[in-house]
Amino acid sequence: MSEPAAFPLSALVGADDMVRALVLCAVDRRIGGVLLRGEKGSGKTTAARGLAAVLGGAPFVELPLGATEDRVVGALDIKGVLEDGAHRFQPGLLAAVDGGVLYVDEVNLLADHLVDVLLDVAVTGTNRVERDGVSHVHASRFVLIGSMNPEEGELRPQLLDRFGLSVTVSAPTDPAARAEAVRRRLAFDTDPQTFGAAWAAEEDALSARLAATHPAPLAPGLEEQVSALCATVGAEGLRADLVICRAAAALAGWRGLPAAGEAEVRVVAPLALAHRRRTPWDRPAQDRAELESAIDQVFDRSRPAAAGTDAGTDAGTDAGTDAGYSGAGDGPEAGGAPGRDGDGLGSEPPPGLGEPAEPAPLPPGLLDAPARRAPAGGSDRGRRPGPARLEGRGRVVGAVALDDPPPGVALAPLATITAALSRDDAAARLEVRAEDLRHALRQRPVGNLVILAVDASGSMGATARLSAARGAALALLHDAYQRRDRVALVAFRGEGARVVMRPTGSTEVALARLDGLETGGRTPLAAGLACSMEVAATAARDGLRPLVVVLTDGRATWAPPGIDPLAAAVAAAGALRRARIDGLVVDCEDGAGALGLARELAEAMGARYEVVDALTEGSLRELISASLAR
């Protein structure tokens, strides 16, 4: 069965930054791949497939989230062992994708150790396998493209940093552009062959231009200026410096310039630095202004432009040789035919590009990929390893022999074969006996699920409680970004409780859910605890350890008719204790006549009890962090 036709990359509408980043990584694959981060239905997968189509029939491999490490990197050829006892290498997806495009949709949901492997191989171009008696090295040069929806959680910063470029993708907001995008997609879905033929000239020109383009040399002194820029904006390590240099060189080559200069740095720096902040993504407009200011400081605007940069590009725009990267204004508009104007993806190459100059040598070692590899299991730093189990999901960390294995326990084939081959009486032809059987032990890193249960009733201090909870939730999410923890918020008031924010690791989701919380009414404390327990029940399914944090003065003033509100709250607290769910009760009672009900609630929950002089975002965050560390 043949692969379906890919939507032409040149026909994408309003995707300038995305297509630019893809093109640059195709020009120089040492850049390290592209992370496409954005809303659903914004063309991320379409662009990835389109890039593969213009790379001269290069393979396109889409990595499923359920792929095992053996399937990705390759493993021992079990069939060969069974047939003749020989140890041979069975290639994986990294061998199949050599020379093409490897696409991982929802890369933020892929196991960390697999993401680490992909990023390492994408930069080095080599896959090294040392496992199961196999020692093998093979070339694996590909453009790595990862996409993600931020509502489903973030990538850990160690993995974010290893992506060369990142782009925030969104659908066009202009009605005319949106309508044009819809028209083109409908035309493609109706007749892919006819639509593809209409864009064939654009695609052929793009493919030829990619094949002919080589990175240009850097203008003298540009390395120092790039490093000064990265130091000014606080980029950690040297990866940002390397990526900007490589991307600027690739962009200059794409533009047909003799050398990369300031204009190219202005274009690629946002793509290389946006995901390398300590808390990425939450201040894009402010960050862009700060970055432009930093570039202005580094590149003295009073002196002449750097070599290789002309007046048409020195203003930091995409005028001249880089206009219209995505084809948004270069192709067929409503009722029109494919355009040939400008110098975007759908145009002829600029003068002189047909015979690109060979790249000049750069200072030794400046753009070399890091030689070191991450240690095994290093991608799980910041997360506690869970216990090794025979059942469930997780990475295989070992194997064990069992006299009477429970039903459903997975067999470990390689360990079983190894045990059979290592027997003293092993025959020339492999024979597996009952005593050779080994079963897989799996391990999953354990994160946290912090459930903030907040009294939003009309009692004194409700506004302060919600404000502290909101701030602490956002702060925790910035911390959770390091560990893939999750945060949820339950508010109770009136005659019930509701989940204001379901478990998430996304600051964007939190900002949207936590604005405009209402207060007032009576205090259904039992309902708040019961709702929190329901949320906590989802934690085990996701491999998380729940912590219920209750912000209350302990007073309960509502329960269903015929039930004492305080007794109902104590009963709900006891249910949390019996379920062995960790808890923290923050006593928000103030003023004269304190009743001490929050302390009694904590005792019924089996929870840690704390009281603070002034409940603030900072004090609450410290209490929660201390509870998580216990």
Side-chain angles (χ1 to χ4, degrees):
M1 184 169 148
S2 61
E3 287 287 326
F7 187 89
L9 190 65
S10 308
L12 289 175
V13 176
D16 294 32
D17 281 347
M18 175 167 61
V19 177
R20 178 182 294 112
L22 295 176
V23 165
L24 295 181
C25 284
V27 172
D28 186 353
R29 302 183 186 189
R30 296 174 303 169
I31 289 173
V34 184
L35 177 64
L36 306 179
R37 180 182 185 276
E39 57 196 21
K40 300 179 289 290
S42 51
K44 301 186 291 293
T45 303
T46 299
R49 291 185 177 277
L51 178 66
V54 298
L55 290 179
F60 178 85
V61 174
E62 185 167 357
L63 183 69
L65 292 179
T68 63
E69 189 171 0
D70 288 350
R71 183 70 183 98
V72 174
V73 303
L76 179 68
D77 183 355
I78 298 179
K79 181 179 178 181
V81 172
L82 294 175
E83 288 179 346
D84 54 24
H87 282 217
R88 289 190 293 267
F89 178 70
Q90 183 176 32
L93 294 178
L94 290 178
V97 77
D98 186 28
V101 173
L102 179 61
Y103 177 60
V104 187
D105 192 16
E106 297 181 318
V107 65
N108 53 317
L109 304 181
L110 188 67
D112 283 356
H113 67 280
L114 288 181
V115 180
D116 216 7
V117 168
L118 297 181
L119 291 166
D120 196 19
V121 176
V123 172
T124 63
T126 302
N127 180 35
R128 300 177 183 274
V129 183
E130 302 285 350
R131 55 185 299 164
D132 304 322
V134 171
S135 180
H136 186 81
V137 180
H138 67 81
S140 183
R141 297 172 295 272
F142 56 87
V143 179
L144 175 63
I145 305 174
S147 69
M148 58 176 283
N149 183 348
E151 292 185 357
E152 296 171 340
E154 303 285 3
L155 267 174
R156 293 176 58 238
Q158 291 92 338
L159 301 179
L160 268 178
D161 180 62
R162 299 195 65 180
F163 273 97
L165 306 176
S166 68
V167 181
T168 299
V169 185
S170 60
T173 56
D174 177 63
R178 293 176 72 96
E180 178 60 23
V182 171
R183 272 191 291 270
R184 294 184 188 183
R185 187 71 214 192
L186 290 174
F188 174 79
D189 291 342
T190 300
D191 191 344
Q193 285 72 30
T194 300
F195 186 86
W199 286 89
E202 307 288 334
E203 293 288 277
D204 290 345
L206 174 57
S207 183
R209 185 174 175 184
L210 277 171
T213 299
H214 300 282
L218 302 180
L222 191 67
E223 301 95 326
E224 287 80 2
Q225 293 166 319
V226 168
S227 292
L229 171 63
C230 293
T232 299
V233 300
E236 297 180 352
L238 294 177
R239 190 168 283 128
D241 310 49
L242 294 169
V243 168
I244 292 176
C245 287
R246 286 182 175 133
L251 179 57
W254 176 258
R255 288 173 163 177
L257 299 175
E262 175 186 347
E264 287 67 53
V265 171
R266 285 187 177 274
V267 172
V268 303
L271 304 178
L273 293 172
H275 58 305
R276 290 188 165 91
R277 295 178 59 247
R278 288 188 179 275
T279 54
W281 320 115
D282 55 352
R283 305 183 306 160
Q286 183 178 350
D287 287 346
R288 189 59 180 260
E290 292 176 356
L291 179 57
E292 290 292 339
S293 176
I295 295 175
D296 288 340
Q297 294 175 23
V298 170
F299 292 93
D300 183 3
R301 303 293 291 180
S302 64
R303 59 176 168 74
T309 305
D310 58 28
T313 58
D314 190 51
T317 66
D318 291 340
T321 56
D322 194 35
Y325 249 92
S326 71
D330 306 325
E333 300 303 327
R340 301 292 194 271
D341 297 330
D343 189 33
L345 288 179
S347 67
E348 295 297 324
L353 188 62
E355 298 180 359
E358 288 297 320
L362 298 174
L366 175 66
L367 299 185
D368 290 346
R372 63 178 179 84
R373 293 177 58 88
S379 62
D380 286 334
R381 287 175 295 177
R383 302 183 72 196
R384 295 176 305 280
R389 302 178 182 276
L390 289 167
E391 300 177 357
R393 297 176 295 169
R395 188 180 186 183
V396 175
V397 294
V400 62
L402 298 175
D403 294 332
D404 186 20
V409 174
L411 188 70
L414 294 178
T416 297
I417 291 172
T418 302
L421 291 173
S422 62
R423 275 190 284 106
D424 293 337
D425 61 344
R429 185 176 179 84
L430 181 66
E431 177 186 359
V432 177
R433 301 174 183 173
E435 65 263 26
D436 301 326
L437 297 180
R438 299 293 185 271
H439 297 83
L441 285 171
R442 300 180 182 275
Q443 189 176 63
R444 298 179 66 189
V446 178
N448 301 298
L449 171 59
V450 178
I451 304 160
L452 293 165
V454 186
D455 178 0
S457 68
S459 61
M460 185 179 299
T463 302
R465 287 193 295 270
L466 285 174
S467 177
R470 181 184 184 279
L474 293 174
L476 286 169
L477 283 173
H478 287 315
D479 294 343
Y481 186 70
Q482 306 281 340
R483 301 182 300 267
R484 284 225 181 146
D485 291 351
R486 296 289 183 266
V487 179
L489 190 141
V490 172
F492 51 94
R493 58 184 289 266
E495 297 183 356
R498 69 184 183 96
V499 182
V500 175
M501 183 176 71
R502 296 198 173 278
T504 182
S506 169
T507 54
E508 290 187 4
V509 172
L511 287 169
R513 300 287 189 272
L514 298 180
D515 281 339
L517 296 177
E518 297 180 352
T519 62
R522 292 182 286 181
T523 309
L525 180 54
L529 296 176
C531 186
S532 300
M533 185 170 177
E534 291 177 3
V535 176
T538 67
R541 180 193 64 198
D542 297 326
L544 300 171
R545 178 177 70 104
L547 172 68
V548 175
V549 181
V550 186
L551 278 64
T552 180
D553 58 11
R555 292 180 171 87
T557 61
W558 185 89
I563 300 177
D564 176 72
L566 186 56
V570 171
L576 284 165
R577 182 170 191 161
R578 290 190 296 275
R580 298 181 180 275
I581 296 174
D582 291 339
L584 168 65
V585 174
V586 181
D587 192 344
C588 301
E589 189 174 33
D590 56 9
L595 300 177
L597 297 176
R599 182 184 293 275
E600 296 179 11
L601 183 72
E603 292 175 355
M605 282 180 61
R608 182 182 174 195
Y609 171 80
E610 293 289 347
V611 59
V612 292
D613 295 334
L615 182 63
T616 64
E617 166 192 331
S619 62
L620 180 57
R621 179 187 182 185
E622 289 179 4
L623 291 175
I624 295 173
S625 297
S627 293
L628 293 176
R630 289 164 63 95

